[in-house]
Structures are given as structure tokens and as C-alpha cells.
Amino acid sequence: MMKLFDAHCHLQDPRILSKAPQLIAKAIDTGVVRFAVNGVSEKDWDLVKQMGENYPSVIPCFGLHPWYVADRTPNWFNTLKECLECTPSAAVGEIGLDKGSRGKEIDFTDQIDVFRQQLELAIEFKRPASIHCVRAFGDLLQIMKSMGPFPAGVILHSYLGSAEMVPEFAKLGSYFSFSGYLMSLEARKAKKMLGTVPSERILLESDAPDALPKSELDSLFMVDGDPSIPEELQGHGGNLSSNVGTSSNLSHAIRDASTLPKETLNHPANIQNVLSYVASFLDMTKEELAEISYNNAVHLFSFDGSKLLQEN
């Protein structure tokens, strides 16, 4: 079976936390053997730490996401530093910059300040950092140039930046991680951008419970008990192919995920759909891309103290 490495997800998210054991088990069944689970604020770092202790497959990551910058406590930086000190297997993330609709509400000077401090921690601890960037790629590149290069690597998670910036970011030590959000990019643009990414810098991610791929419904895994999905899709906690074809009451209108409610939860096993989509643009087989992206992630997450090194 193909092995996949989910380079960025949020299995500690309150929307799916109670279902995490089933989600992880199902994803492992489909070949996803690692999950980089990213904290987003002081409130969930403990949960992420516990997850890392409870699941050999989980790589914990601690970070303060730009959306939660305004809620930070005066002691946030010391807490984060302690988390990284006492968890040698942890990476840094999710951190970043956001000028999108939600990011606009958060003071950008504050965002930059918090982001730079966390990047400095990643450099100090020689760990990779997972970066969120929405409509702020120019700012991001400027900051990274002033602080980099980053020999331990950074992950530009759910990368939707331009093809032109790829070489600049790659030069500084960036990896480019792709999620279901790539399917919202115009196909021509996606193909052009993917064509500029060096193969040794490609990663795949689910970003679960967000970024549900806009695929045919019968190829997707649904999260059991997701309140946003129609009743006839409930209770199939796995792949829908068995029931979609036969369910006469399943209206034709919801044959693919783009017609599901925006808040429909994404299952980490749907990284398989991201794999197929990216492979189709790169003229690669799924097997080739799975192997390349898996090896890239293993390389990136094999930092000093990493779980991956402990096992070898």
C-alpha cells in the first residue's frame, strides 16, 4: 500500500477531537502513516502535546496562528518556548500572516511581531515551522529573506501563492504543501504553479477538519456525526462509494463535494484525493507522488529529537 504523510492537520480541533481515534485509525487503514498536528493558540497546546504522547503516528506542532494573536496572554512566548523545550519531538506551527477576511480584523503589526518571534524559536531549536499565509506573500518573503535561510525547513501550508515566488521561497528552505484548497484555484494557474515546485520540496496535507476536497462524493470519507451533512450521508464514517450509487433518495444535486455546505468537515483520509489531483497536474502516477512527498516529509521532520529518528 502507498504510504502518505499528512504534513499539516488539526486533529485536536474541537469539531473533531472526540472522533480523533476513529479518524486516525481510518486514515492509517488507507495508508496515511503520519500526521503533523498543528496547535493554533495557547488553549490547545496541551491537547496537541497529549496527542503526540498517545499516538506514535502524531507529530505535535505548537504555534500561535495569526487569527488568535489578539487573544494571546502576556506569557504566551514563554509558554510556547517551554512546550518546545519539553517536547523534543515537536515542530513549530501553525504560525503566519493573514490579510484575508479574518486576518483583516487582527492588527498586522501584531501579527508580524508574533510571527517573527516564532520563526526565531524555530531557528533557535532547529525545527521546521508550518506557515499559514493568506494575501501576504510579499510580506512573508520579505521577513523570511531578512531572517533566513532556514536550514531546518519551513512548510508553506496549503500553498496558493504565485508560481513566480516559488523559486524565491525554495531558495530560503521552503517546502510547498498542498491541500484540498488547491482545487479552488483555477486549473491553469494550479498547473503552472505546481510545475515550478522542485520535486524534493512537495508535501501533501489534509488540513482536516478544513479544506474538504471538491471531489466526487463517492471518493470521499465523511466524518461521522458531522452536523452539516445531509441525513442520507450520515453514518457512513468511511468512503461513500457503497451508498451513493444505490441511494435512490440521494439527490443528484449532491454528487460532488462543491455542493455540500461550506462547513462540512474534512476527514484526514481525504488526503488521497489531494494526491490524485496533484499527481494529475504533474504527469506523475499517484504512487510516484506518494513516494516523493512521503520521503520529503520524512526528511523534513527528521530533526534532532524527532519521533522518526527514535524509531530508526
Side-chain angles (χ1 to χ4, degrees):
M1 195 196 313
M2 287 184 298
K3 279 197 296 194
L4 286 169
F5 195 128
D6 188 346
H8 186 107
C9 62
H10 303 278
L11 303 178
Q12 86 290 4
D13 186 293
R15 291 169 291 169
I16 56 170
L17 177 63
S18 64
K19 306 179 180 83
Q22 297 93 302
L23 297 177
I24 290 172
K26 175 59 78 180
I28 287 175
D29 271 356
T30 70
V32 190
V33 294
R34 301 268 174 208
F35 308 86
V37 173
N38 283 253
V40 294
S41 76
E42 289 159 274
K43 293 190 184 81
D44 70 6
W45 294 343
D46 268 343
L47 276 177
V48 171
K49 189 173 186 301
Q50 277 170 344
M51 236 174 210
E53 286 160 7
N54 296 343
Y55 297 98
S57 56
V58 165
I59 292 165
C61 311
F62 305 112
L64 179 53
H65 187 293
W67 292 353
Y68 305 102
V69 159
D71 309 326
R72 70 194 187 281
T73 70
N75 203 37
W76 76 271
F77 184 77
N78 295 331
T79 309
L80 178 57
K81 195 167 181 171
E82 276 162 30
C83 281
L84 292 167
E85 266 163 2
C86 70
T87 319
S89 61
V92 175
E94 177 173 355
I95 67 177
L97 302 172
D98 194 311
K99 286 178 169 175
S101 49
R102 271 189 77 170
K104 276 210 245 341
E105 297 162 21
I106 315 283
D107 182 295
F108 198 64
T109 316
D110 265 3
Q111 286 190 41
I112 288 177
D113 185 40
V114 165
F115 176 60
R116 290 186 79 109
Q117 288 184 69
Q118 295 184 95
L119 262 191
E120 272 159 17
L121 276 185
I123 293 169
E124 181 188 334
F125 282 97
K126 300 185 169 66
R127 316 243 182 115
S130 202
I131 296 177
H132 163 108
C133 185
V134 173
R135 301 198 181 145
F137 284 102
D139 307 272
L140 176 62
L141 187 58
Q142 211 178 339
I143 291 169
M144 283 178 61
K145 278 182 169 167
S146 72
M147 295 177 68
F150 300 86
V154 300
I155 298 164
L156 301 183
H157 119 79
S158 277
Y159 185 72
L160 293 175
S162 70
E164 289 69 28
M165 290 181 117
V166 167
E168 296 260 25
F169 280 121
K171 217 166 31 192
L172 293 163
S174 301
Y175 288 71
F176 303 83
S177 185
F178 300 104
S179 73
Y181 286 131
L182 186 66
M183 296 184 183
S184 59
L185 205 59
E186 192 193 327
R188 187 181 51 84
K189 264 191 178 158
K191 187 176 173 69
K192 182 184 174 194
M193 182 261 285
L194 284 166
T196 60
V197 177
S199 63
E200 70 278 9
R201 299 208 165 265
I202 291 182
L203 301 172
L204 300 174
E205 62 171 91
S206 70
D207 200 19
D210 294 313
L212 180 73
K214 291 181 164 57
S215 308
E216 293 292 312
L217 270 191
D218 60 4
S219 70
L220 288 170
F221 288 83
M222 290 293 166
V223 174
D224 261 347
D226 179 350
S228 69
I229 58 177
E231 222 168 285
E232 59 266 40
L233 296 183
Q234 291 284 0
H236 297 284
N239 196 292
L240 289 169
S241 49
S242 52
N243 62 299
V244 171
T246 53
S247 174
S248 53
N249 59 354
L250 186 62
S251 70
H252 189 64
I254 51 170
R255 277 297 163 91
D256 87 65
S258 58
T259 50
L260 288 172
K262 199 165 156 279
E263 62 278 10
T264 303
L265 300 174
N266 184 22
H267 194 301
N270 293 327
I271 191 174
Q272 299 280 355
N273 298 64
V274 181
L275 169 72
S276 306
Y277 191 72
V278 174
S280 71
F281 282 122
L282 293 173
D283 300 325
M284 273 184 198
T285 66
K286 288 194 293 191
E287 289 73 16
E288 286 168 329
L289 181 58
E291 188 178 355
I292 287 170
S293 59
Y294 178 80
N295 290 338
N296 292 344
V298 167
H299 176 71
L300 177 67
F301 284 103
S302 293
F303 48 86
D304 220 13
S306 152
K307 283 183 172 187
L308 280 69
L309 292 181
Q310 291 158 23
E311 286 166 17
N312 294 337

